Structures are given as C-alpha cells and as structure tokens.
Amino acid sequence: MKASQFFIATLKEAPADAEVISHKLMMRAGMIKRLGAGIYNYMPMGLRVIRKVEGIIREEMNRAGAVELLMPVVQPAELWQETGRFDKMGPELMRVKDRHERDFIIQPTSEEVVTDIARQELRSYKQLPKNFYHIQTKFRDERRPRFGIMRGREFTMKDAYSFDRSPEAAAKSYETMFAAYKRIFDRFGLTYRAVAADTGAIGGDLSHEFQVIAQTGEDAIIYCPTSDYAANIELAEAVAPATPRAAPTAEMTKTLTPGKSTCADVAAFLGLPLTKSLKSLVLATDRLDEQGNPAGSTVWLLLLRGDHEMNEVKVGKVEGLKAGFRFATLAEIDEHFGCKPGYLGPVGLKKPVKIIADRTVAAMSDFCCGANEADYHLTGVNWGRDLPEPDLVADLRNVVEGDPSPDGQGVLAIERGIEVGHVFYLGTKYSKAMNATFLDETGKPALMEMGCYGIGVTRILGAAIEQGHDARGIIWPDAIAPFTVAICPIGYDRSADVKAAADALHDELQAAGIDVMLDDRGERPGAMFADWELIGVPHRVVLSDRGLKEGQVEYQGRRDEAATKVAAAEVVAFVKGRLKA
C-alpha cells in the first residue's frame, strides 16, 4: 500500500470532548470520526485494525469448531417478549416500530434470536453439541456515552452461543471456548488476565472475564502474584482472619464525639486505628402478602470494619437478601435505632434488627461503634459480653491489597483492567423461557444447555491503546497494527535512487506477506515520522540518499529509543527477524 493511494488524516491536537487517551489518540490518528453521541465512523486506518482483530477471532473460533452465521441488527420484539427482556431491560434497549406499528428492537445481544434458530434446527441429540457465532453491530442506548469507543452506543462484538445436551457437555464446550479465548488474546499481543467472575442470578461457577491490563482500566482485578488465582473485585473472596478473636481488654465506654460521623473522623478524634472502628450500613427488604401487596419490611444491619467497603454482589448472596434489598429509609432507621445515620451501631437498639457481621468484624474485639445517640460513640465493645453474637457471619467486603489469597498460596495484589471478553455458562435460562428442546436418546424432549461467549471487537482497539502508548502516540502490537511496517523515504519526490530503492523494498516486503505502507507523499522527515509514530506502526525503515550511498538504511521499532543502521541488502531479512521476535 502507498500513502498516496490511502487516506491519512492526522491531527496535531485532539478535539476538546476527547477524554481518555485512547479516544484522543484515535481521533488524532484519523481512526475514528464522531458522527453523534457515542456513534463513530470508523475511518480506513481504524477499520484495518478492526479487520485484523476480526481475522484472528475468526481463525480461532473456526479452529475451536464454532460455526459462523449472521443474525440481524433489527429483531422482532416477540422473541424478546418470550424471555421477558423486552419489558425488563431498561432504556438501554432501543425499541422501535415499523410502518405497521409492529415492535422491534435494535439488538444489544442475540440470545433470543440464536435460541430461536436452535429450537427450529437442532431437534436431536445427534446434532449436539453446536456452537454458532457471529460478528455484528450492536447498539445500547447509553444515557451518557463517553470515552470514545470504550463506552459508545454503537459497537461491534463477536458473540458465540453453545448448545449442549447436558451440564457436563456444556462444561466441555465452555473449556473449549476458554482455551480459544486464551489463544485469541495471546495472538493479539496484549497483556491480559482471565479472571473468575460472578455469575449473578444465573448461578453456577463458570464465568470468566478477559481483562486487558491498563492503568486507566475501570475494573479492579484481584490476583495472587505467586499462584494462578485471579478474580474480579465482585467475586474475590475475603477469607476469614486466621487468628481467633482476642479476649476483651477494655471496658465498654460511651464517649462524646461531637460532629464526628464518619469512621475516619471518629478514629482520628479518639486516637484509635481505623481498623478498630465499625462501619454500620442499614438495609431493608420488603415483604409482600399473598396478593403481592406490600406487607412491611425487615431491617438489616451490616457491620464492616471501618477501612473496608461493602461488596454489593456478595451482600446479594446472603440468605434473606437474595431476592433484593435497598438502603433503609430515614424513617426506618429512626424507628429501629432512634438516631440519625453517622452514630449507628449494634448496641442498645430501639427495635431488633437482623445483624450480619463481616468475617473480619466477627473476629474483632475492643472495637468502636456508634452509640445510637447523636454525637456519641462506644469504645471497648466486645461480642458476647456487650452484645449478642451476630445473627450471621458472611463475606461482605471488597478485598484489599495484602489480604490472604483464597487458594492459600500467598497474598493478593490489585491491578486495573479493561473488560474486553467474557465467557459464561447460561444453563437453561433461555432454552426454558423459549422452549428450546431436543429429543434425547429415549425420544423424550430435554432442554438445551447453553453458554455464551463475547468479545468486544471495537473495544479491543481502545483497550490496546490504553495499554500501549507514549507521548508520541499509539504503540500497536504487530498482529493488530493497521500496517506492520512503514517505509519512510526521505526525498522520495526528489531522488530517483531513493524512489527506486523504496519501491523495490515495498514490493519485496509485500511479496513476503508483510503488511507494508510506503509513504510516497514527499513529506518532510519530521512530519512523516510524527504521523507514523502517532498512528503506531510497529516497525519503520528510513531510506535516504546519504544512507543508500553507504549501502545502509535505518530501522527503528516503535518502542526503540534509537534507530539501527542495517545493510540495505539485508533489511528484508532483518525486518523478518524482528517480526518473529
């Protein structure tokens, strides 16, 4: 490819509305162009990256035995009504009507459509297992799209859906997809982690997120540097303290703490470590009568150590809270505690509540908590002596750096990541709702066991840039760069020798199967180098009259601090060697 035949439109400055670095650099490199809020044109340079990402995905999905099809962007509402998602999904689901006033949706995902295909086409156990996938445009009507393509409204994803005859067979399909995803992300050339993820209301333990490591990532990844343990923050277990609860050494004392309503302020005021304080969180669950009408509520007091944060996913798994919970109202708090928030605690309650203590709290002694009286706290509080043991002890908190690893192989560390892929065992959630059955060996109908497997194709671009960039621009891995090698001839439009050598090198690299760009625009060296560094081409070869007279060219990798002189006759072999490195 020659630059004069392509479309290159770089900018010196990013638009004012560009926020994160990937958004800024993609705009500056001419890879995307904003069309509307959260909607972008993918320009030729950006589209080349997308096609390379898609190519790797297709090769590995096909290798894993998945079969490609293509499902529509616009889908009939009837299928979504079968599963209840037409009504349950929020405004992110764009609903439209055609000229006949029939309801349709702009698909954010395709579980309903693929299940409809399966229930029509997969009628016998002999046709299973089967895995269908497609790479398709999606749309989610985000209220506040931001970060460029990282959280846009329109995006491209690869979705795969497996269909199996039993949970055991579904687990094998899951393992096959998990292995395929590892090959895909290895080939992308990105640093990533596959982390165990929460399965939500579906249950089970088969769910992994693929996270590209980046300091700007929104997700906290928990891992053990000395083992293979890795999980997202919602799932990572905070193990119970290894040492038993210490015996009381202090008397419970009521202390004036005027205007000190946070754990940090109270601890500082009393000269106590924050780890000696108790955080009180008041939740409520609503009860319904047989007719489904409100019939009162139950109030729950969750206790965490002052320096810890509640994990809502874990709380949602506690018996009694699984059906849903909310934060208690001020009226409910006053009714049960007789005090406003900021001074609440488990001692001296006005009315009984359900008390759930985090594992760490259950092992505490001589702790500080609210006295259920404005401007007062209690110190020297102990379980069993000053208040009954909690109704329940559970893992309620987010883990923190240095916590013991749940596998017992060391301590936990935390890094940031960007979720770009997810593999998930669905079970019969959709097949049951849509009556997707097959005939088993006995001729009886059985529900299909399903799995779903997604990769954010366009999000890979943003994640790769967040991971790979410097002050000069993007740093693409070889496998997904828009071009692998840029030939930068100095004086291409003025020197016949430079032009001939550059053209010959271009043709030779192209014949060797290398994706090469020859910059034949006749730009000044500084401007030419700046463009390709901004765009992020991983390898650059510079030709000049002086160098050619000495029989040399200059090679520089995008991460190299300086150029390397290479014999002109050996440059193709040299570049091939760097591509294999």
Side-chain angles (χ1 to χ4, degrees):
M1 178 67 69
K2 293 186 177 181
S4 60
Q5 301 168 332
F6 198 63
F7 181 79
I8 300 168
T10 57
L11 301 172
K12 289 185 178 181
E13 300 292 337
D17 64 342
E19 300 168 282
V20 295
I21 192 66
S22 58
H23 190 189
K24 294 176 181 178
L25 290 178
M26 289 191 78
M27 294 291 285
R28 287 188 57 210
M31 294 190 168
I32 57 174
K33 188 174 181 64
R34 186 179 184 274
L35 181 63
I39 304 174
Y40 292 86
N41 293 307
Y42 288 93
M43 304 304 286
M45 196 69 74
L47 185 61
R48 287 186 67 87
V49 182
I50 291 173
R51 293 292 180 249
K52 290 189 175 183
V53 169
E54 290 177 346
I56 291 171
I57 291 172
R58 280 194 173 92
E59 288 177 13
E60 294 300 337
M61 291 300 293
N62 295 343
R63 177 182 169 188
V67 182
E68 187 173 9
L69 48 65
L70 188 62
M71 292 173 278
V73 174
V74 178
Q75 301 175 357
E78 287 87 348
L79 297 177
W80 286 69
Q81 289 163 347
E82 282 189 59
T83 62
R85 292 209 293 175
F86 184 79
D87 295 317
K88 289 180 182 177
M89 285 193 73
E92 290 78 20
L93 180 66
M94 179 166 278
R95 301 162 177 86
V96 296
K97 290 182 181 291
D98 68 5
R99 66 175 67 192
H100 304 292
E101 290 299 305
R102 292 175 298 204
D103 289 316
F104 288 82
I105 61 98
I106 310 296
Q107 67 108 16
T109 184
S110 288
E111 281 85 357
E112 282 81 359
V113 173
V114 79
T115 305
D116 182 56
I117 292 171
R119 69 181 173 182
Q120 295 183 60
E121 302 295 335
L122 305 178
R123 299 176 180 176
S124 167
Y125 72 94
K126 295 180 181 179
Q127 295 172 279
L128 301 177
K130 196 66 68 185
N131 188 326
F132 295 118
Y133 80 95
H134 74 161
I135 299 175
Q136 180 59 291
T137 299
K138 289 188 171 188
F139 190 91
R140 290 178 186 161
D141 197 6
E142 296 273 359
R143 180 168 65 177
R144 185 172 169 259
R146 58 193 188 278
F147 307 151
I149 63 170
M150 296 290 285
R151 195 173 290 279
R153 294 199 292 170
E154 183 179 289
F155 51 97
T156 302
M157 280 195 70
K158 186 282 301 178
D159 291 312
Y161 304 94
S162 61
F163 297 87
D164 284 277
R165 56 193 293 187
S166 67
E168 295 76 20
K172 291 182 179 178
S173 292
Y174 183 95
E175 292 170 4
T176 298
M177 282 294 98
F178 184 82
Y181 269 48
K182 291 185 73 173
R183 292 195 300 270
I184 287 168
F185 284 92
D186 286 343
R187 287 184 61 183
F188 284 160
L190 300 173
T191 301
Y192 72 95
R193 288 189 185 275
V195 302
D198 181 65
T199 55
I202 295 171
D205 58 359
L206 290 178
S207 179
H208 286 83
E209 295 170 351
F210 284 75
Q211 298 266 2
V212 169
I213 306 304
Q215 292 181 353
T216 53
E218 293 182 284
D219 300 328
I221 301 170
I222 314 302
Y223 72 103
C224 179
T226 54
S227 75
D228 293 331
Y229 179 82
N232 65 15
I233 191 72
E234 289 82 9
L235 187 67
E237 180 186 4
V239 300
T243 55
R245 182 195 298 164
T249 62
E251 291 298 319
M252 185 172 72
T253 304
K254 183 178 174 182
T255 305
L256 180 66
T257 53
K260 308 301 180 185
S261 60
T262 69
C263 290
D265 286 346
V266 171
F269 180 78
L270 298 177
L272 295 173
L274 187 56
T275 54
K276 278 290 187 180
S277 66
L278 223 62
K279 182 183 295 183
S280 297
L281 301 170
V282 187
L283 306 181
T285 52
D286 296 312
R287 299 189 302 274
L288 302 177
D289 60 22
E290 294 181 357
Q291 287 73 41
N293 299 314
S297 62
T298 301
V299 172
W300 306 70
L301 176 61
L302 271 59
L303 300 174
L304 283 80
R305 202 171 74 183
D307 60 329
H308 288 159
E309 297 297 329
M310 183 181 83
N311 183 311
E312 288 196 27
V313 172
K314 293 180 180 180
V315 171
K317 295 180 179 180
V318 172
E319 201 62 45
L321 300 176
K322 292 180 180 179
F325 61 87
R326 58 177 172 80
F327 284 98
T329 64
L330 290 175
E332 289 169 327
I333 292 172
D334 184 65
E335 178 186 355
H336 290 81
F337 296 84
C339 181
K340 65 180 181 179
Y343 304 94
L344 307 179
V347 181
L349 297 169
K350 187 177 178 182
K351 287 181 66 175
V353 299
K354 294 278 189 180
I355 296 179
I356 308 175
D358 181 68
R359 290 170 173 174
T360 305
V361 169
M364 290 173 65
S365 60
D366 295 336
F367 53 82
C368 171
C369 64
N372 293 319
E373 183 178 343
D375 294 329
Y376 283 92
H377 280 77
L378 299 174
T379 59
V381 182
N382 286 271
W383 295 107
R385 187 193 70 181
D386 305 315
L387 75 166
E389 296 290 338
D391 296 310
L392 182 65
V393 176
D395 178 14
L396 304 175
R397 69 177 177 90
N398 289 332
V399 298
V400 295
E401 193 114 10
D403 276 344
S405 177
D407 63 4
Q409 301 300 307
V411 297
L412 296 176
I414 301 176
E415 59 190 355
R416 309 302 299 180
I418 300 169
E419 183 186 349
V420 290
H422 202 155
V423 289
F424 204 112
Y425 169 53
L426 288 172
T428 59
K429 177 180 175 72
Y430 292 93
S431 57
K432 184 177 181 179
M434 299 183 69
N435 195 32
T437 62
F438 66 97
L439 296 180
D440 63 17
E441 296 92 330
T442 67
K444 295 181 179 179
L447 292 172
M448 299 179 196
E449 297 282 340
M450 292 176 58
C452 66
Y453 318 93
I455 293 178
V457 173
T458 45
R459 202 168 206 233
I460 291 289
L461 278 66
I465 295 169
E466 294 292 333
Q467 184 177 98
H469 65 271
D470 61 15
R472 294 173 291 171
I474 302 167
I475 306 175
W476 292 110
D478 286 0
I480 60 175
F483 295 95
T484 310
V485 178
I487 300 173
C488 296
I490 298 174
Y492 182 88
D493 57 339
R494 300 187 304 275
S495 169
D497 291 340
V498 169
K499 182 178 186 304
D503 289 344
L505 178 57
H506 169 271
D507 294 346
E508 195 171 351
L509 289 172
Q510 194 171 62
I514 297 171
D515 195 5
V516 59
M517 165 62 79
L518 169 58
D519 194 335
D520 61 345
R521 296 176 296 170
E523 291 278 359
R524 292 177 292 103
M528 184 164 47
F529 298 164
D531 271 352
W532 298 112
E533 287 173 343
L534 172 60
I535 292 166
V537 174
H539 307 274
R540 184 178 78 200
V541 179
V542 178
L543 296 83
S544 66
D545 264 326
R546 177 185 293 181
L548 291 174
K549 288 175 182 177
E550 297 172 355
Q552 293 181 329
V553 299
E554 288 188 350
Y555 164 86
Q556 187 166 351
R558 181 61 181 81
R559 294 183 183 273
D560 296 346
E561 293 184 3
T564 301
K565 290 187 176 182
V566 180
E570 299 172 3
V571 65
V572 174
F574 183 87
V575 169
K576 286 182 179 179
R578 287 299 300 259
L579 293 179
K580 293 178 181 178

